[in-house]
Amino acid sequence: MKILISADMEGATGVTWPADVLPGTPQWERCRSMFTSDVNAAVLGFFDGGADEVLVNEAHWTMRNLLLEQLDERAEMLTAGTSPSP
Ligand SMILES: [Zn+2]
């Protein structure tokens, strides 16, 4: 089973104010790790549920929000200006 997650930042844990999703603000920086944790929870759930591959599409603004170094290493990711990573 192949899974595609399209992850947008609005609605992520901790996001309560427009500045929370505005790249470059301190509030956005604070919310990036919670956004990444939310995506990791989904990735974990899909793998636990039998997924063979999980592809995460960054869907917010410039597509440069998730913290790559904290993303579940089993997931592949589409982000701005790149193709799927191994
Ligand atoms: Zn968004």
Side-chain angles (χ1 to χ4, degrees), residues 23-39:
T25 65
Q27 296 91 337
W28 168 79
E29 192 64 49
R30 180 181 63 85
C31 289
R32 293 178 73 195
S33 63
M34 292 185 278
F35 179 39
T36 305
S37 293
D38 285 352
V39 170

Side-chain angles (χ1 to χ4, degrees), residues 3-8 39 42-44 46 54-59:
I3 302 295
L4 170 65
I5 298 172
S6 185
D8 203 344
V39 170
V43 169
L44 175 66
F46 283 121
V54 176
L55 176 61
V56 177
N57 176 55
E58 267 245 31

